[in-house]
């Protein structure tokens, strides 16, 4: 069981807390608890929470983490929960320098959770709701049976990315009542043209006008789409319209709520980890480190920041980009004059001594997510300094290799990998396809084809919830294709897009 901090660690927490406040960080109250390495792996397997609904995947996650720690392949330094108050876990076997580093890192995360716009609509009592979710699922297990519930969760988890990650911030669909009122106000049944107003009642009697209105209403209902416009939140559409049993609705709503809770963390992984790393580095090197701790700190910090060919380390990319933004705004390396300067020596020596870097990074921390962060602030100079490149598989040489170092291609590749978490964008376009109660989805093709095996399994799991055949329109090799699963057989046919 988690334990409270020792008096020494409590004093260190207060010290790091003071440094964080001194630098201007603003965070929720933060509760630190001590756990053993085994308990840390258990909490990490649950996604950072002390309890979750029963499912076999938590055991699989735990086994992987435990083996990685035992064999010296990986180590979890910290876990922090986006909650109010925030909860964070410290491993009791860590040396004191690591505990200070983790505390500083945690305060950076907590500041980001509280202030970044992506987290504005997240549930700040999720630690309680996760426990409630676990209780609700266990009740259904007791009532229906573990195999039935676990099988449904397996199928639903394969669909948990079919949400609209931007839904908390925008309204894609108009208010139904207001839309209906506007539609009625726009409806006018004219009848036959009348040159004399006194003849209107004779030429267009009330019985005739009523029949015309009824006809117009029937035509409107036939034209009405279901849904009226493409809906990206597929899970919500299933909750509202799929013929699910009460226990299935409850579990699906639980998994959808949790998917929306974790979505902002996926949208801000580079920013969030970079921000926390920036502040643990700043606090440790400028305030908290003792002379005899410098070597250990440098060793552990460099391990976190290490990169390997062919992979992006969000800690490293994030911290370097935050430092680059601070440096550019301190020296005035932005704006029209900077952009128009083509003298390499002048650009290298550029320093207007504005000193606005710290203010700028706090502003960016509040208003950006990973995509806008990369798109706005990743420059050609930064890409060159960090030696970023695009890699891929060369069929001729039968090997992985660097394909391009050109800045625009590097940036576009990175942005593509971040858009919708690098997963395809799928929308519901028709819940009564061809008037047969079939479900029709559409893939918003961005140049990357769907993986056929993934698409077929997804259709299979969707069909098990919709109970009727499920279709998806996509594009393969530039040509339209309709994939279909009817509950027994998969089929594919060409369509015009």
């Amino acid at each position: 069981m988690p334990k409270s901090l020792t008096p020494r660690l409590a004093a260190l927490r207060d010290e790091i807390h003071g440094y964080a406040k001194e630098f201007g960080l603003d965070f929720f109250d933060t509760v630190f608890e001590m756990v053993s390495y085994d308990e840390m792996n258990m909490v990490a397997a649950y996604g950072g929470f002390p309890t979750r609904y029963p499912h076999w995947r938590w055991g699989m996650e735990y086994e992987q983490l435990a083996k990685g720690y035992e064999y010296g392949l990986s180590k979890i330094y910290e876990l922090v929960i986006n909650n109010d108050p925030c909860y964070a876990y410290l491993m009791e076997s860590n040396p004191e320098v690591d505990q200070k580093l983790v505390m500083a890192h945690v305060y950076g995360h907590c500041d980001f959770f509280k202030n970044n716009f992506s987290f504005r609509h997240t549930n700040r009592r999720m630690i309680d709701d996760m426990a409630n979710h676990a209780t609700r699922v266990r009740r259904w297990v007791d009532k229906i049976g573990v195999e039935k519930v676990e099988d449904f969760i397996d199928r639903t988890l394969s669909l948990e990315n079919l949400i609209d990650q931007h839904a908390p911030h925008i309204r894609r669909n108009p208010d139904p009542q207001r839309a209906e009122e506007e539609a009625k106000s726009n409806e006018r049944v004219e009848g036959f043209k009348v040159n004399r107003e006194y003849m209107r009642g004779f030429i267009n009697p009330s019985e005739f006008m009523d029949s015309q209105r009824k006809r117009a209403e029937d035509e409107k209902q036939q034209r009405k789409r279901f849904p009226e416009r493409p809906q990206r939140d597929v899970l919500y559409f299933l909750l509202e319209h799929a013929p699910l049993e009460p226990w299935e609705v409850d579990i699906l709503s639980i998994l959808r709520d949790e998917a929306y809770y974790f979505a902002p963390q996926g949208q801000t992984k580079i920013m969030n980890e970079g921000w926390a790393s920036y502040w643990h580095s700043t606090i440790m090197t400028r305030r908290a480190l003792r002379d005899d701790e410098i070597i250990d700190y440098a060793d552990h910090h460099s391990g976190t920041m290490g990169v390997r060919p062919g992979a992006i380390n969000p800690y490293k990319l994030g911290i370097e980009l935050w430092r680059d933004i601070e440096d550019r705004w301190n020296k005035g390396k932005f704006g029209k004059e900077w952009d128009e300067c083509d003298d390499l020596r002048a650009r290298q020596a550029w320093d207007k001594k504005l000193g606005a870097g710290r203010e700028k990074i706090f502003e960016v921390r509040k208003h950006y997510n990973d995509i806008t962060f990369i798109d706005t602030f990743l420059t050609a100079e930064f890409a060159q300094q960090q030696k970023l490149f695009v890699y891929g598989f060369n069929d001729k040489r039968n090997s992985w290799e660097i394909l391009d170092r050109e800045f625009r291609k590097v940036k576009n590749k990175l942005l593509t990998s971040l858009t919708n978490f690098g997963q395809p964008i799928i929308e519901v376009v028709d819940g009564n396809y061809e008037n047969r109660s079939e479900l029709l989805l559409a893939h918003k093709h961005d140049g990357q084809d769907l993986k056929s095996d993934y698409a077929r399994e997804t259709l299979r799991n969707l069909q098990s919830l919709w109970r009727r055949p499920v279709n998806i329109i996509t594009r393969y090799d530039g040509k339209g294709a309709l994939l279909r699963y009817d509950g027994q057989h998969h089929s594919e046919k060409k369509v015009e897009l």
Side-chain angles (χ1 to χ4, degrees):
M1 294 294 292
K3 299 181 280 293
S4 358
L5 300 185
T6 63
R8 173 59 182 164
L9 285 178
L12 289 176
R13 175 202 59 199
D14 295 340
E15 178 186 347
I16 302 298
H17 180 277
Y19 296 146
K21 288 292 186 181
E22 177 187 339
F23 281 113
L25 297 185
D26 174 29
F27 40 80
F28 297 121
D29 290 340
T30 306
V31 179
F32 288 94
E33 295 182 340
M34 298 289 295
V35 293
S36 66
Y37 83 91
D38 195 51
E39 290 169 331
M40 180 70 88
N41 290 331
M42 290 168 59
V43 173
Y46 277 151
F49 287 86
T51 184
R52 297 292 295 275
Y53 56 82
H55 190 253
W56 60 266
R57 72 166 175 157
W58 311 127
M60 180 186 69
E61 295 280 355
Y62 170 79
E63 191 69 17
Q64 182 179 5
L65 292 168
K67 286 291 189 293
Y69 183 84
E70 290 172 7
Y71 297 156
L73 301 175
S74 62
K75 178 180 179 180
I76 302 170
Y77 280 95
E78 52 84 23
L79 282 173
V80 58
I81 301 174
N82 170 30
N83 202 72
D84 183 11
C86 290
Y87 283 84
Y89 299 95
L90 303 175
M91 194 181 298
E92 58 188 7
S93 59
N94 281 347
E96 190 172 287
V97 64
D98 284 356
Q99 306 291 29
K100 291 196 290 187
L101 183 154
V102 167
M103 289 176 184
H105 193 89
V106 163
Y107 283 128
H109 277 309
C110 295
D111 172 86
F112 196 88
F113 291 148
K114 182 177 180 179
N115 295 285
N116 183 265
F117 85 96
S118 299
F119 294 88
R120 189 174 303 160
H121 300 283
T122 54
N123 184 351
R124 302 297 189 179
R125 292 287 183 270
M126 198 60 180
I127 196 167
D128 297 328
D129 280 5
M130 285 291 190
N132 293 334
H133 291 171
T135 301
R136 285 159 59 186
V137 173
R138 287 190 176 94
R139 286 174 181 168
W140 288 120
V141 168
D142 293 339
K143 188 174 182 179
I144 295 172
V146 63
E147 290 187 6
K148 201 169 184 180
V149 171
E150 200 164 74
D151 178 63
F152 181 78
I153 292 176
D154 286 345
R155 287 181 275 120
T156 306
L157 286 175
S158 72
L159 310 173
E160 67 176 347
N161 63 318
L162 299 180
I163 59 173
D164 183 359
Q165 58 180 274
H166 303 295
H169 311 286
I170 60 176
R171 176 178 288 175
R172 295 192 188 276
N173 300 317
D175 180 68
Q177 184 176 355
R178 182 178 178 183
E180 185 177 354
E181 291 173 356
E182 290 179 355
K184 287 181 178 179
S185 67
N186 292 332
E187 289 175 6
R188 293 187 62 187
V189 178
E190 296 290 344
F192 294 109
K193 185 178 181 180
V194 179
N195 294 325
R196 299 287 188 274
E197 187 63 30
Y198 68 88
M199 294 293 293
R200 185 177 298 278
F202 296 97
I203 297 177
N204 296 308
S206 59
E207 296 83 1
F208 172 73
M209 295 300 293
D210 289 342
S211 67
Q212 291 295 96
R213 290 190 186 95
K214 186 176 186 305
R215 179 182 175 184
E217 181 65 25
D218 291 342
E219 290 178 353
K220 177 186 172 184
Q221 291 299 325
Q222 291 178 4
R223 292 194 308 268
K224 190 174 182 180
R225 296 181 64 87
F226 168 56
E228 292 187 5
R229 51 180 53 80
Q231 186 163 325
R232 190 173 295 183
D233 191 343
V234 179
L235 294 188
Y236 180 76
F237 186 84
L238 293 173
L239 280 171
E240 290 290 306
H241 304 292
L244 301 173
E245 297 180 28
W247 68 271
E248 293 175 314
V249 171
D250 189 31
I251 293 177
L252 181 58
S253 67
I254 286 173
L255 298 181
R256 177 176 174 269
D257 288 345
E258 294 187 5
Y260 270 107
Y261 171 80
F262 287 112
Q265 298 183 33
Q267 292 173 298
T268 59
K269 180 69 173 178
I270 293 172
M271 283 186 73
N272 197 347
E273 294 298 353
W275 183 256
S277 300
Y278 172 91
W279 285 110
H280 88 230
S281 175
T282 301
I283 291 172
M284 291 296 285
T285 56
R286 299 188 184 182
R287 294 290 189 276
L289 272 181
R290 299 195 312 264
D291 292 348
D292 60 340
E293 295 173 331
I294 291 176
I295 300 299
D296 288 335
Y297 164 76
D299 178 50
H300 298 162
H301 174 77
S302 62
T304 305
M305 297 299 139
V307 296
R308 59 184 177 85
I312 290 290
N313 181 343
Y315 295 83
K316 175 65 173 177
L317 180 59
I319 191 175
E320 294 298 344
L321 197 46
W322 283 115
R323 287 171 173 170
D324 185 65
I325 295 169
E326 184 178 30
D327 180 69
R328 287 171 58 199
W329 262 258
N330 278 337
K331 297 179 178 179
K333 294 182 176 181
F334 60 92
K336 185 173 183 291
E337 186 181 355
W338 166 258
D339 292 337
E340 292 178 350
C341 178
D342 55 6
D343 186 331
L344 182 59
R345 290 185 178 180
R347 289 174 73 91
Q348 291 176 341
W350 195 286
D351 189 358
K352 293 195 171 185
K353 302 187 184 302
L354 297 183
R358 185 61 56 82
E359 180 183 354
K360 182 62 179 180
I361 63 172
F362 274 98
E363 174 194 325
V364 172
R365 168 266 267 152
K366 186 175 183 179
H367 297 296
Y368 289 75
N369 59 25
D370 277 353
I371 292 177
T372 54
F373 183 62
I374 296 294
D375 190 37
T376 305
F377 299 108
L378 194 146
T379 62
E381 292 89 345
F382 180 85
Q384 186 177 14
Q385 291 170 5
Q386 299 300 316
K387 300 179 181 178
L388 301 180
F389 56 84
V390 175
Y391 73 98
F393 191 77
N394 188 320
D395 293 325
K396 293 182 179 179
R397 294 190 175 91
N398 196 34
S399 64
W400 292 91
E401 61 183 42
I402 295 175
L403 299 181
D404 212 311
R405 294 184 184 272
E406 200 272 315
F407 165 65
R408 182 52 55 187
K409 292 182 179 179
V410 169
K411 188 172 184 177
N412 287 342
K413 183 72 173 179
L414 187 54
L415 290 173
T416 300
S417 70
L418 295 173
T419 302
N420 201 49
F421 311 133
Q423 298 167 343
I425 297 175
I426 308 295
E427 296 178 330
V428 177
V429 294
D430 196 346
N432 187 26
Y433 180 53
E434 294 188 341
N435 203 30
R436 295 186 301 196
S437 298
E438 296 187 10
L439 186 64
L440 177 65
L441 308 171
H443 169 217
K444 297 188 72 173
H445 201 279
D446 58 358
Q448 186 72 31
D449 293 347
L450 290 179
K451 293 182 178 179
S452 298
D453 52 343
Y454 280 45
R456 287 190 173 89
E457 287 303 311
T458 301
L459 290 178
R460 184 192 299 275
N461 292 331
L462 279 169
Q463 192 278 333
S464 70
L465 273 62
W466 189 248
R467 315 286 204 257
R468 292 284 299 156
V470 179
N471 310 265
I472 184 169
I473 294 177
T474 184
R475 188 191 304 269
Y476 283 118
D477 299 325
K479 298 178 181 179
L482 178 72
L483 308 183
R484 184 174 187 269
Y485 181 68
D486 61 8
Q488 293 183 330
H489 305 289
H490 290 281
S491 61
E492 180 179 340
K493 68 178 182 179
K494 296 179 180 180
V495 294
E496 294 294 331
L497 295 179

